[in-house]
C-alpha cells in the first residue's frame, strides 16, 4: 500500500459506523417528523439526555449480566479519572433524568420520546452497527396493561405511516421478582442437563442468569433453548392477569400478534410485558423495534417507586423497509450576468429566502447558457433571470424548468406566482 492509501485507510470511517449522506437525509427526516407527530398525538414530550453517562448507570440499569454490559459497551476513562460510557440504550438515562429533576412531581404526563445515536461494540453486519440510531419512547406511572397495548398500537400506527409492510408482533411476559426465581431455577436445571450442548458463554449463563441463554445467537443453543420450560407455566396471578389483559386490549386494537415464550429481549430489567415487531423483509437482524415493562428500575435507582414501560425502534432497520414518499425539493436558481446583476441578484435572493423560497446562488461568472446547464444539474425547479434589461425594468424573468414556461414580473409578483405553485 502506498503511504497515501494507508493514510486514507487510517482516516476512513470507523468500522460499524456510517455517514448519512444528504441524499439519504430526507428519508431520515421524514421518519423523525412522522415519529414526532405520532408520539405527540399520544401526549409524549421530547427529553434529550447526554450521549455519555457514568458507566455505573448502565451497569445498574441495563444489568451486569446482559450482553450489552458484559461485551458491548464503549467505556473510557476521562481526564478526571471517571469511567464514562457512550450510551448503549436510552432507558437508564431517562430514569436518571426523572429522578434528578423530580419530573414525577410535575403535572406534565410522564411520556417521553427521544431520537439519537446509541453505541454498542457488537460484530457489525447488515442491520447491525456500532453506532446506530434509535427512536425511543417511555411511559411512567401507568400500571394498567392498557398502556402496554397502547404503545404497541402506537408503534404499529407509526410503522403504517412509514409504509412498513410485512411485520409480525411478538409478545411475551417475563414475570416479576415474585415469580421469575422459580422459572430461573427450572431453566437452570434444564440448562444443566444439556450443558455439553451449549456454547461456553451459555454454560456460564446457565449458572449466572439462565434467562439470558435465550439471547444467544448460536444456532445450536437456540435449538436447545426450544426444549426449555416456558415462562407462562410459572407466572404468578398478577403477572398472568396482566398478560391476559394485554392480549384482550391488543385484540380490541385488532393487532395481530404471536405469543413468543422465549422473547426475553437481552436486558435484565424487564418485568411482565416484553414485545418486538419483526420484519419479514430483513435478514437475520429482523427486529424493527422492541421493548417492555420495567417496573423496578426507578426504585432500584433510589428514586420513587414508579413503574415504566417503553420501546426503542432501530432507525436504520426501519428505513431499510419503509416506503416513504419523500417530497422533491423545489429551489430557485439565480442566473445573473455581470457584476451589477450579481448585486441585484443577491438582494433578490435575500428577499426570496426571507419569504421562504430556497435559492441557489453560485459565485462563478457564467454565461446564460452555462447558468441553465448548471440549474439543470442542480435540479432547480425555477431559474430567476437577472440581466441588464431586467434590471432597467425592475422586472425579472422566471423560468419553470419542468415545462419551459417563462413569466416576467416584479419580485413581489414573482413571489406571489411561486407561492401559488
Ligand atoms: P434494543 O435496544 O436492543 O431493545 O433494540 C431496539 C431496536 O434497536 C432493535 O429492534 C433494532 O431495530 C435496533 N438495534 C439494536 N441494536 C442495533 C445495532 N447494533 N444496529 C442497528 N440497530 C440496532
Amino acid at each position: 500500500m502506498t503511504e497515501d492509501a494507508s493514510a486514507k485507510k487510517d482516516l476512513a470511517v470507523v468500522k460499524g459506523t456510517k455517514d448519512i449522506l444528504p441524499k439519504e437525509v430526507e428519508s431520515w427526516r421524514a421518519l423523525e417528523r412522522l415519529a414526532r407527530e405520532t408520539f405527540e398525538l399520544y401526549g409524549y414530550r421530547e427529553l434529550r439526555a447526554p450521549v455519555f453517562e457514568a458507566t455505573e448507570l448502565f451497569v445498574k440499569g441495563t444489568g451486569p449480566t446482559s450482553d450489552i454490559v458484559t461485551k458491548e459497551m464503549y467505556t473510557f476513562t476521562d481526564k478526571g479519572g471517571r469511567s464514562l460510557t457512550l450510551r448503549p440504550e436510552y432507558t437508564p438515562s431517562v430514569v436518571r433524568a426523572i429522578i434528578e429533576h423530580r419530573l414525577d412531581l410535575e403535572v406534565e404526563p410522564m411520556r417521553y420520546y427521544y431520537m439519537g445515536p446509541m453505541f454498542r461494540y457488537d460484530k457489525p453486519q447488515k442491520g447491525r452497527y456500532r453506532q446506530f440510531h434509535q427512536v425511543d419512547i417511555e411511559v411512567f406511572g401507568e400500571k394498567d396493561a392498557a398502556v402496554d397495548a397502547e404503545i404497541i398500537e402506537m408503534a404499529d400506527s407509526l410503522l403504517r405511516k412509514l409504509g412498513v409492510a410485512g411485520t409480525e408482533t411478538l409478545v411475551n411476559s417475563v414475570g416479576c421478582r415474585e415469580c421469575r426465581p422459580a422459572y430461573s431455577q427450572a431453566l437452570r436445571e434444564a440448562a444443566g442437563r444439556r450443558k455439553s450442548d451449549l456454547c461456553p458463554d451459555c454454560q456460564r449463563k446457565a449458572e449466572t442468569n439462565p434467562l439470558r441463554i435465550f439471547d444467544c445467537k448460536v444456532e445450536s443453543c437456540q435449538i436447545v433453548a426450544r426444549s426449555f420450560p416456558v415462562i407462562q407455566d410459572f407466572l404468578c396471578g398478577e403477572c398472568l392477569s396482566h398478560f391476559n389483559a394485554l392480549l384482550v386490549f391488543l385484540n380490541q386494537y385488532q393487532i395481530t400478534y404471536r405469543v413468543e415464550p422465549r422473547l426475553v429481549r437481552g436486558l435484565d430489567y424487564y418485568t411482565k410485558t416484553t414485545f418486538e415487531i419483526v420484519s419479514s423483509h430483513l435478514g437475520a437482524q429482523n427486529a424493527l423495534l422492541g421493548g417492555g415493562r420495567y417496573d423496578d428500575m426507578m426504585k432500584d435507582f433510589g428514586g420513587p417507586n414508579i413503574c415504566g414501560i417503553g420501546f426503542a425502534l432501530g432507525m436504520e432497520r426501519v428505513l431499510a423497509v419503509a416506503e416513504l414518499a419523500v417530497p422533491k425539493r423545489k429551489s430557485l436558481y439565480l442566473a445573473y450576468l455581470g457584476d451589477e446583476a450579481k448585486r441585484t441578484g443577491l438582494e433578490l435572493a435575500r428577499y426570496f429566502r426571507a419569504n421562504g423560497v430556497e435559492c441557489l446562488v453560485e459565485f462563478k461568472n457564467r454565461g446564460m447558457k452555462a447558468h441553465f446547464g448548471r440549474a439543470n444539474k442542480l435540479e432547480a425547479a425555477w431559474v430567476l433571470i437577472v440581466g441588464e434589461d431586467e434590471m432597467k425594468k425592475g422586472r425579472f424573468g422566471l423560468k419553470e424548468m419542468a415545462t419551459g414556461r417563462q413569466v416576467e414580473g416584479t419580485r413581489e409578483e414573482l413571489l406571489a406566482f411561486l407561492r401559488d405553485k
Side-chain angles (χ1 to χ4, degrees):
M1 206 185 295
T2 63
E3 217 168 274
D4 235 24
S6 104
K8 238 188 208 162
K9 197 164 168 245
D10 290 344
L11 299 179
V13 75
V14 173
K15 190 173 168 190
T17 71
K18 297 202 294 182
D19 297 309
I20 302 166
L21 300 174
K23 63 175 184 292
E24 303 159 276
V25 155
E26 289 294 342
S27 31
W28 281 78
R29 284 168 35 155
L31 164 53
E32 287 159 8
R33 180 175 48 77
L34 285 167
R36 279 203 171 85
E37 279 172 18
T38 304
F39 302 155
E40 288 175 11
L41 288 175
Y42 294 72
Y44 286 75
R45 302 285 177 263
E46 188 169 358
L47 190 158
R48 301 184 187 193
V51 167
F52 57 82
E53 301 260 10
T55 301
E56 194 48 33
L57 180 78
F58 300 111
V59 175
K60 203 170 165 61
T62 310
T65 62
S66 64
D67 280 354
I68 291 182
V69 169
T70 54
K71 304 183 211 161
E72 299 171 5
M73 295 213 296
Y74 275 93
T75 297
F76 61 98
T77 307
D78 78 357
K79 292 198 164 100
R82 297 172 206 90
S83 178
L84 301 175
T85 292
L86 295 182
R87 61 181 180 210
E89 56 144 351
Y90 199 61
T91 309
S93 298
V94 190
V95 172
R96 178 200 50 69
I98 291 175
I99 298 171
E100 213 162 311
H101 304 284
R102 289 312 310 258
L103 296 180
D104 55 302
L105 301 180
E106 293 186 8
V107 286
E108 296 254 295
M110 284 214 283
R111 292 176 175 231
Y112 303 111
Y113 72 87
Y114 176 73
M115 303 169 205
M118 306 291 152
F119 307 86
R120 292 183 197 170
Y121 190 81
D122 202 348
K123 207 166 168 206
Q125 64 177 82
K126 191 164 173 278
R128 195 200 289 149
Y129 310 100
R130 289 182 173 169
Q131 174 176 328
F132 58 99
H133 297 77
Q134 285 187 338
V135 169
D136 182 281
I137 70 103
E138 315 284 346
V139 185
F140 297 90
E142 292 282 6
K143 277 198 170 64
D144 199 310
V147 81
D148 306 33
E150 189 190 75
I151 69 170
I152 295 174
E153 186 269 334
M154 183 169 80
D156 183 75
S157 147
L158 175 59
L159 292 176
R160 275 166 205 272
K161 288 181 195 170
L162 292 164
V164 175
T167 60
E168 188 180 19
T169 303
L170 311 176
V171 293
N172 191 27
S173 172
V174 291
C176 66
R177 285 182 179 167
E178 293 297 311
C179 53
R180 202 166 19 199
Y183 179 57
S184 292
Q185 186 50 32
L187 277 184
R188 197 167 283 120
E189 284 162 18
R193 287 193 290 274
R194 302 290 304 271
K195 208 162 181 175
S196 56
D197 300 323
L198 295 171
C199 73
D201 202 23
C202 284
Q203 292 185 4
R204 183 184 54 79
K205 288 173 177 175
E207 313 270 321
T208 56
N209 189 348
L211 210 67
R212 297 273 70 87
I213 295 175
F214 292 125
D215 302 328
C216 183
K217 289 154 195 153
V218 176
E219 205 188 334
S220 53
C221 293
Q222 290 177 353
I223 293 168
V224 172
R226 273 183 222 136
S227 67
F228 288 174
V230 293
I231 188 143
Q232 273 72 16
D233 295 335
F234 291 80
L235 294 180
C236 62
E238 192 190 315
C239 288
L240 190 60
S241 71
H242 188 94
F243 189 54
N244 288 334
L246 164 70
L247 303 186
V248 170
F249 285 116
L250 288 178
N251 290 335
Q252 186 185 322
Y253 285 127
Q254 295 174 323
I255 305 266
T256 322
Y257 57 82
R258 178 159 64 81
V259 176
E260 171 49 74
R262 280 163 289 270
L263 185 72
V264 294
R265 305 225 59 263
L267 305 168
D268 288 348
Y269 55 62
Y270 286 127
T271 49
K272 300 193 170 105
T273 307
T274 52
F275 67 95
E276 213 162 78
I277 300 186
V278 298
S279 164
S280 55
H281 302 315
L282 293 168
Q285 303 305 316
N286 66 348
L288 295 171
L289 63 92
R293 186 168 269 284
Y294 48 94
D295 290 346
D296 301 317
M297 195 192 291
M298 188 93 72
K299 74 168 182 275
D300 287 352
F301 275 18
N305 187 4
I306 294 175
C307 60
I309 181 166
F311 69 73
L313 168 155
M315 296 176 80
E316 284 83 356
R317 289 192 203 168
V318 166
L319 284 171
V321 292
E323 298 270 345
L324 284 165
V326 178
K328 209 168 152 19
R329 280 185 168 280
K330 287 203 148 191
S331 58
L332 178 151
Y333 177 92
L334 178 71
Y336 56 87
L337 289 179
D339 282 348
E340 215 185 320
K342 178 177 177 180
R343 278 192 292 277
T344 307
L346 294 183
E347 276 312 309
L348 284 168
R350 197 176 190 198
Y351 170 78
F352 282 115
R353 285 173 180 152
N355 286 287
V357 179
E358 178 179 326
C359 293
L360 308 176
V361 183
E362 294 189 338
F363 304 106
K364 195 164 176 208
N365 271 333
R366 292 190 168 107
M368 221 12 111
K369 197 163 166 227
H371 270 310
F372 272 95
R374 184 71 187 145
N376 227 345
K377 237 190 187 144
L378 294 172
E379 298 182 353
W382 303 282
V383 174
L384 178 68
I385 304 158
V386 189
E388 247 173 63
D389 279 358
E390 284 81 4
M391 282 191 302
K392 266 190 223 142
K393 289 191 278 184
R395 295 176 72 77
F396 308 94
L398 185 76
K399 185 160 180 174
E400 190 168 47
M401 295 297 275
T403 59
R405 185 176 160 215
Q406 191 161 326
V407 292
E408 193 198 274
T410 61
R411 62 181 203 176
E412 288 78 12
E413 286 165 355
L414 293 181
L415 179 65
F417 173 82
L418 288 172
R419 283 204 167 139
D420 238 24
K421 290 275 161 182

